[in-house]
Amino acid sequence: MSPPRWPRPLTVLARWLLGTVLVTWRYLWETTPLYRAGECEGDEQDRPPRIPPDAVDDTVQLAEDGFGPLFHRTFRVHIAGAAGVDGARLVEQLCCHFEHFVPSEVVGIRVGELRAHGLNVADELLVEMPGPWNGPVRVVRRDSELLHLVTLRGHMEAGQVQFRARRDGDLLVFEIELWARAATRLVHVLYSHLRVAKEIQLNMWVRFCLSAVKASGGRLVDGVHIRTRRLQPSRMTPRKG
């Protein structure tokens, strides 16, 4: 007799409860140095990059569609000893095995049928998170050393994220850069006021950076560097059309 199948919501909830306990435990005992520059006010240079017009449709959730301030965040690690792995190779691993870079205790990745080279422009994937926070995203750009995603309707955030990798002398540099606002007023409260979602996001991206270090085969140098800049809603331009 085959084992009973749990309803999908119960499975997601069970994974979230157990995963959150494990992730929180790891976060509390995390020994990786985190260098968090103090949050400061941003300017026009913190606005998200323009997306090709043909990549924007009614399902795309731009930063202009969100609530509250825009948060421009950067997570950066320097990797030593990544022999034979350059920026292009690391981005290729990310595109082919995106699910290996996220904290699987809480987050799941669902993608359609991928080509041999992995994620490419117009491909979509679903980042499964607890409760109503699933995060659909779409690839809007892929270069040899860059993967660029935009959020879609239903994501808890409205904005964009870029993953970049490059050589800097003997070191390999991996960087995540985000431009995001809360997609709803509820998320705005959790993120900007209670700061719950913001800390969960920080933990996830730190883990993502450490996964990149592991995938490179090298070792982390000088911890994870985190920068946050905040652009007020009054400086955001509404979507046209």
Side-chain angles (χ1 to χ4, degrees), residues 8 13-14 16 32 35-37 40 57 65 67 73 76 90 92 113 132 145 152 155 174 205 215 219-220 225 231 233:
R8 184 166 182 79
L13 178 59
W16 175 72
T32 301
Y35 300 99
R36 302 173 67 169
C40 62
D57 56 27
D65 302 321
F67 293 83
R73 310 190 81 181
R76 182 183 297 114
L90 185 54
E92 181 183 17
E113 183 177 351
E145 298 183 345
L152 302 178
H155 200 291
F174 179 77
W205 292 125
R219 65 182 186 280
L220 179 66
H225 294 257
L231 189 64

Side-chain angles (χ1 to χ4, degrees), residues 2-238:
S2 60
R5 290 189 175 183
W6 287 45
R8 184 166 182 79
L10 293 180
T11 303
V12 173
L13 178 59
R15 186 186 68 189
W16 175 72
L17 290 174
L18 295 174
T20 299
V21 171
L22 182 55
V23 168
T24 302
W25 175 263
R26 288 181 174 176
Y27 183 74
L28 291 174
W29 290 95
E30 180 61 67
T31 58
T32 301
L34 303 181
Y35 300 99
R36 302 173 67 169
E39 187 174 301
C40 62
E41 288 297 323
D43 53 34
E44 291 302 309
Q45 295 183 357
D46 294 294
R47 293 175 60 84
R50 293 183 62 85
I51 296 178
D54 58 355
V56 179
D57 56 27
D58 291 340
T59 67
V60 169
Q61 191 162 264
L62 299 175
E64 294 87 341
D65 302 321
F67 293 83
L70 172 82
F71 288 93
H72 179 198
R73 310 190 81 181
T74 305
F75 297 78
R76 182 183 297 114
V77 290
H78 295 82
I79 308 169
V85 178
D86 58 7
R89 177 56 180 162
L90 185 54
V91 169
E92 181 183 17
Q93 290 186 53
L94 172 63
C95 291
C96 293
H97 305 288
F98 196 91
E99 70 278 7
H100 295 169
F101 288 74
V102 300
S104 58
E105 303 91 344
V106 178
V107 179
I109 300 294
R110 293 171 60 191
V111 297
E113 183 177 351
L114 295 180
R115 293 167 288 279
H117 55 264
L119 294 170
N120 208 341
V121 174
D123 285 338
E124 297 182 3
L125 62 152
L126 179 66
V127 182
E128 294 186 316
M129 293 178 284
W133 308 124
N134 283 351
V137 294
R138 177 183 298 158
V139 179
V140 294
R141 180 183 171 191
R142 181 189 170 184
D143 294 341
S144 61
E145 298 183 345
L146 178 145
L147 177 67
H148 186 173
L149 309 177
V150 66
T151 57
L152 302 178
R153 299 293 179 187
H155 200 291
M156 68 182 294
E157 293 181 318
Q160 306 173 43
V161 56
Q162 290 185 354
F163 306 89
R164 297 189 292 267
R166 58 182 172 82
R167 275 285 175 184
D168 183 7
D170 294 334
L171 299 178
L172 180 62
V173 180
F174 179 77
E175 185 175 76
I176 303 171
E177 188 168 10
L178 307 100
W179 300 262
R181 300 172 75 194
T184 66
R185 296 186 188 278
L186 173 59
V187 176
H188 173 47
V189 171
L190 292 173
Y191 195 98
S192 301
H193 298 292
L194 299 180
R195 305 181 74 88
V196 174
K198 188 175 181 180
E199 290 303 309
I200 291 175
Q201 184 200 62
L202 181 140
N203 181 29
M204 184 183 77
W205 292 125
V206 166
R207 292 280 303 282
F208 203 106
C209 287
L210 297 180
S211 294
V213 175
K214 181 178 180 181
S216 74
R219 65 182 186 280
L220 179 66
V221 175
D222 197 28
V224 182
H225 294 257
I226 305 162
R227 186 191 70 169
T228 303
R229 291 168 61 86
R230 181 180 60 249
L231 189 64
Q232 295 303 327
S234 59
R235 306 185 68 171
M236 295 297 299
T237 303

